[in-house]
Amino acid sequence: MARTKRSRRSYGAGEWGRNRVRVFPDPKTGIFQIEWRENGRRLTRSLRHRDWTRAKKQADEFAAGFGEPDPNGKAEAEPDPLTLGRLFDIYGEEVTPTKGKRTRQRDRVATRMFLDFFGRDRRPETLSQRDWDRFIRERRAGRAGRSGQPVGNRTIEWDLTFLMTVLNWAARSRDENGRLLLDSNPLKGLRKPKEKNPNRVVLSEDEYHAMLGISRQVGWRFHIALVLAHETGHRIGAIRELRWADIDIEGREVLWRAEHEKTGYEHVTPLTTEAVAALEEAGRMGSGSGNAPVLPSPSDATRCMSRVCAHHWWKKAERLAGLEPRRGRGWHSLRRKFASDLMELPLKVLCELGGWKKAQTVLRCYQQPDAVQLRKALDSRRRNRSA
């Protein structure tokens, strides 16, 4: 009777001393290898693919005498049809690890959700408008996703953006034999739901000064981060990761590294007098030199301040400043304030200062004229007509 062994690292089929076969992934490439003995010699050949199900099937067939590995790879069998489970597995192994920590987590959550919803064995090329619409309905009602909570259009848009990213990637990627994983994206061109009235809060000047006035009560790190966010217009994630090697106090410049920017755009921007003063204060409080963090973690001076600390300190500052809680008022509201304060600048200049790659993003998501600016525009029109 044939013996079969399954483990995480390998799959064995057949009987020892007779027709024993083992398949396992190459530790460097992940491509499966098949190993057997012939006339006392141990032989290994590449199966030239990374499909675990297909590798086990080939091991069973070889052990049973139905097939044999082709040393030259000329007798390559027709691959099993691509399933959503296999596609998401490949994407998760090859693409997701190249992303940031939070994005990797979102990829894993979205992957589980789509596989639960459509099924691991679903063929991706069979997805259609009906599946698209059904997912939107069920997700909006809270019947898709493990949380069981209804979600808005913005969340659904993020989910579908990930699905489209995976399908577009598959339509551009080839297997080890040069075949496209997917001939085309079957959902290409379908419209994602949009939030009609997105909540994009802009921190007001009064609110900023109220928080600035109590910022040192929260801690010197929060004070420095608040000033830098206001004066540079950059994301708190990039500000948290700043190191002294990125700061040129004499030249009054700061280097924003690509790996800490959401857009992956590395650039240098000038520093205002207020930002320089804040950095000088940070230098007195910390090491102020080398590759040390500008805003070190309270528990480990060699590491940068965490995202959790930044969030917790912001909420504490709002309470101390006496500001009423408001959904959407957070670190990013300072970035919107920066874009709105400098609305009169040419968009190219503003994008360079704030690290935006596309001017459309600034216009669509960040710049929000206030009542004073609207009134000023109307007054200017009246003056022009009088002249």
Side-chain angles (χ1 to χ4, degrees), residues 200-205 207 326 328-329 332-338 340-341 365-369:
R200 293 171 177 149
V201 177
V202 178
L203 194 72
S204 71
E205 191 70 20
E207 289 172 332
R326 184 181 179 187
R329 187 208 286 132
H332 221 61
S333 63
L334 279 168
R335 186 160 165 81
R336 298 188 193 100
K337 182 180 187 300
F338 183 86
S340 300
D341 287 348
C365 304
Y366 287 92
Q367 285 188 335
Q368 297 185 30

Side-chain angles (χ1 to χ4, degrees), residues 212-270:
L212 185 64
I214 55 85
S215 58
R216 288 188 175 86
Q217 297 179 41
V218 180
W220 69 267
R221 294 172 181 82
F222 175 77
H223 172 75
I224 304 303
L226 183 69
V227 173
L228 291 180
H230 182 266
E231 297 300 317
T232 68
H234 279 68
R235 296 177 179 85
I236 186 59
I239 292 170
R240 288 190 300 103
E241 296 290 344
L242 284 175
R243 294 182 178 269
W244 287 110
D246 305 325
I247 307 297
D248 181 2
I249 293 290
E250 293 184 2
R252 298 168 68 92
E253 290 182 337
V254 57
L255 168 65
W256 304 96
R257 297 189 181 275
E259 58 266 31
H260 304 315
E261 285 287 317
K262 180 181 178 180
T263 57
Y265 174 48
E266 186 164 298
H267 56 290
V268 176
T269 61

Side-chain angles (χ1 to χ4, degrees), residues 32-98:
F32 282 105
Q33 313 290 312
I34 187 167
E35 179 184 273
W36 77 100
R37 286 187 176 273
E38 187 175 301
N39 299 325
R41 296 173 57 206
R42 179 181 296 176
L43 302 178
T44 304
R45 294 291 183 269
S46 172
L47 293 179
R48 302 177 63 189
H49 63 79
R50 297 186 180 90
D51 188 341
W52 179 231
T53 302
R54 181 180 167 199
K56 292 193 294 183
K57 182 179 178 182
Q58 287 177 297
D60 290 333
E61 290 177 347
F62 183 42
F66 294 138
E68 61 181 17
D70 180 21
N72 299 317
K74 296 178 180 178
E76 186 70 24
E78 188 68 22
D80 292 335
L82 180 71
T83 63
L84 278 177
R86 182 182 165 213
L87 172 58
F88 277 108
D89 287 344
I90 296 173
Y91 186 88
E93 292 172 1
E94 298 183 6
V95 183
T96 297
T98 66

Side-chain angles (χ1 to χ4, degrees), residues 234 265-269 347-356:
H234 279 68
Y265 174 48
E266 186 164 298
H267 56 290
V268 176
T269 61
L347 273 175
K348 182 67 175 177
V349 175
L350 178 58
C351 288
E352 191 66 25
L353 285 174
W356 287 282

Side-chain angles (χ1 to χ4, degrees), residues 112-167:
R112 289 195 298 268
M113 177 181 62
F114 281 118
L115 292 182
D116 288 344
F117 189 81
F118 293 121
R120 290 190 63 89
D121 296 331
R122 179 71 182 270
R123 300 272 293 276
E125 65 270 22
T126 66
L127 295 174
S128 68
Q129 175 85 58
R130 294 179 64 197
D131 298 298
W132 182 271
D133 294 340
R134 181 168 64 93
F135 174 80
I136 293 174
R137 289 194 306 269
E138 298 298 296
R139 184 72 167 126
R140 185 176 287 141
R143 293 188 292 267
R146 298 190 176 186
S147 68
Q149 298 294 322
V151 299
N153 285 342
R154 182 61 172 160
T155 300
I156 298 173
E157 182 184 3
W158 287 339
D159 296 336
L160 292 175
T161 295
F162 172 70
L163 177 62
M164 294 292 278
T165 298
V166 174
L167 295 175

Side-chain angles (χ1 to χ4, degrees), residues 220-221 223-224 228 244 275-288 293-296:
W220 69 267
R221 294 172 181 82
H223 172 75
I224 304 303
L228 291 180
W244 287 110
V276 170
L279 287 168
E280 289 174 343
E281 180 179 342
R284 292 191 295 270
M285 302 300 294
S287 66
V294 174
L295 298 170

Side-chain angles (χ1 to χ4, degrees), residues 181-197:
L181 295 177
L182 196 60
D183 289 337
S184 63
N185 180 354
L187 303 178
K188 184 177 181 180
L190 297 186
R191 297 182 63 180
K192 291 173 280 192
K194 298 288 185 180
E195 196 71 41
K196 292 183 179 180
N197 298 298

